[in-house]
Amino acid sequence: MATLESVFLPSPELRPIAEKVLAGERLSFDDGVTLMTSHELLTIGKLANHVREQRHGDKTYFNQNFHLNATNVCEASCLFCSFARLEEGMPQAYTMNLKQALQKVEELCTPQTTEIHIVNGLHPGLDFAYYTDLLTAIKQARPQLHIKGFTAVEIHYFAEKYAMTYQQVLEALRSAGLDSLPGGGAEIFAERVRRKICHDKVDADGWLGVHRTAHQMGLRSNCTILYGTIETPEERVDHLLRLRALQDETGGFQTLIPLSFHNDGNRMAKLPSPTGVEDLRMYAVSRLLLDNIAHIKAYWIMIGIKTAQTSLHFGVDDIDGTVKDEKIYHMAGAETPMALSRPELVRLIREAGRVPVERDTLYNILAEEAIAK
Ligand code: V47
């Protein structure tokens, strides 16, 4: 007959890790690899949930936001990307002019929207003024909107192309209206993986260097990990620990968003996308390893509403936002809706037994919806 112990307690392999987690001790690289390869999903989830509840209780954050991708023309040739087009004139390639971009903002922004998320391709033919004019115009039209924009990959590209330092690029963008940086473009830091899946964009040190500079200037940013392509468990852990090391140095990251590989419409279409078990393990292990990053965000657009909701018991405390008009994942085969309304977000958080908390980009609380648990 099964005993309580055999049903509820971790195996001898996970027990020392569980003890460290309960004692609030930092996990090592080897602990990370053990967790990343373990099949004890529920034990790992329970540990991550413990950390999540210690930090945030039942609070689950969301915001009202939308995305703007002003151009998908991109010099880089990342194998996993379904969004980019190498040159103007190719099928589905587009570049908005200022008027078109502002029209999009007017179309998508409501009086309750607090954030615009801007990410673009690395367009070889645009002046730097294209970006600063875009920011200035958006801020002028919607002064209350927080502009989270430009991945570290774009900042590095601007620095090289327009012969500026990271700091000069960031200062110029901030003067024009930039408020914080999104976490995209990190992929997997290991050189072996980058050489194969994204050989012609900024390397790990450059990505981390841009975020270091941003943090030193007082800008907050997010970070990501792209999992499910060709990386090993060790390379996933290495990536997370490099983020943890930078966070020890600067404290500037707000949230980690684990990004699950989507295999439609790109040059890695032969690889299967991660399964639900892998998604949940990734969230939980990220929560356990990143003891110095406040939030773990499940991007519902990418893993689907049902897995995102389940992830709220696997270490996740943030579910992104209303989103609206996302392109990068929908061009890679995402079957999620183009947007969720505020009531829909509130319902899915409540049904998971959590308390929905509307936040702004910097995690200032705007509204908290009480629920009877
Ligand atoms: O940089 C692209 C990844 C990122 C695929 O900071 C892919 O709040 C999986 O960074 N399969 C963009 N991943 C999304 C992103 C993001 C999303 C939500 C919130 C925030 C934030 C940031 O998506 C890219 C790349 O790493 N990506 N193609 C794909 N086929």
Side-chain angles (χ1 to χ4, degrees), residues 67 80-82 117 148 151 181-187 222 224 226 255 257 259-263 266 297 299 320 328-329 332:
H67 285 220
F80 54 82
C81 186
S82 317
H117 178 146
K148 179 180 76 177
T151 66
L181 298 187
E187 323 314 358
N222 295 338
T224 55
L226 167 66
T255 179
I257 308 112
L259 297 170
S260 183
F261 169 60
H262 272 48
N263 67 359
N266 55 52
K297 185 196 279 191
Y299 188 38
D320 205 87
I328 296 176
Y329 284 98

Side-chain angles (χ1 to χ4, degrees), residues 71 73-75 86 88 95 121-128 130-131 157 161-162:
T71 178
V73 174
C74 188
E75 274 197 334
L86 199 55
E88 289 287 3
T95 302
L122 307 178
H123 194 305
L126 297 173
D127 295 335
F128 191 48
Y130 176 86
Y131 306 99
Y157 180 75
K161 187 164 154 56
Y162 308 116

Side-chain angles (χ1 to χ4, degrees), residues 132-370:
T132 48
D133 288 351
L134 180 67
L135 294 174
T136 309
I138 293 172
K139 263 287 183 251
Q140 212 168 21
R142 297 279 174 164
Q144 86 289 356
L145 216 48
H146 178 111
I147 304 182
K148 179 180 76 177
F150 307 105
T151 66
V153 177
E154 293 171 86
I155 304 294
H156 174 85
Y157 180 75
F158 297 158
E160 285 203 325
K161 187 164 154 56
Y162 308 116
M164 295 157 93
T165 63
Y166 293 159
Q167 182 161 350
Q168 286 167 335
V169 171
L170 289 166
E171 287 293 6
L173 295 175
R174 178 157 68 178
S175 303
L178 182 72
D179 295 300
S180 69
L181 298 187
E187 323 314 358
I188 287 283
F189 290 142
E191 191 45 41
R192 181 194 76 83
V193 177
R194 283 191 107 69
R195 238 194 342 263
K196 289 192 176 144
I197 70 171
C198 55
H199 71 280
D200 54 359
K201 73 180 185 197
V202 65
D203 63 11
D205 287 342
W207 191 97
L208 291 163
V210 168
H211 284 265
R212 180 180 290 107
T213 307
H215 297 169
Q216 285 165 348
M217 291 167 54
L219 286 165
R220 308 304 300 274
S221 72
N222 295 338
C223 53
T224 55
I225 175 170
L226 167 66
Y227 62 96
T229 65
I230 58 162
E231 80 285 355
T232 61
E234 288 78 7
E235 285 162 342
R236 288 184 185 180
V237 175
D238 167 69
H239 184 98
L240 294 173
L241 295 198
R242 286 207 226 181
L243 292 172
R244 189 170 80 179
L246 181 57
Q247 182 73 343
D248 277 344
E249 209 182 303
T250 65
F253 287 126
Q254 306 199 97
T255 179
L256 170 86
I257 308 112
L259 297 170
S260 183
F261 169 60
H262 272 48
N263 67 359
D264 202 15
N266 55 52
R267 283 175 289 160
M268 300 185 87
K270 285 205 176 99
L271 282 183
S273 295
T275 59
V277 165
E278 217 173 330
D279 288 332
L280 291 174
R281 183 171 51 204
M282 193 66 202
Y283 285 111
V285 177
S286 300
R287 178 63 286 164
L288 292 171
L289 288 180
L290 295 178
D291 56 3
N292 56 1
I293 295 186
H295 303 282
I296 304 290
K297 185 196 279 191
Y299 188 38
W300 61 263
I301 286 273
M302 181 197 61
I303 53 163
I305 295 166
K306 291 179 182 180
T307 308
Q309 188 184 37
T310 312
S311 75
L312 301 182
H313 293 275
F314 285 78
V316 167
D317 64 281
D318 187 301
I319 203 154
D320 205 87
T322 45
V323 182
K324 285 193 210 165
D325 212 36
E326 195 282 339
K327 289 201 172 61
I328 296 176
Y329 284 98
H330 283 97
M331 286 175 83
E335 286 168 2
T336 41
M338 289 306 281
L340 283 180
S341 65
R342 187 183 191 281
E344 283 168 328
L345 285 169
V346 165
R347 173 171 168 254
L348 79 86
I349 294 169
R350 275 198 182 137
E351 292 217 339
R354 300 301 196 189
V355 177
V357 177
E358 184 176 351
R359 60 165 175 87
D360 66 11
T361 311
L362 301 176
Y363 287 87
N364 297 302
I365 294 181
L366 305 179
E368 190 164 340
E369 316 256 333

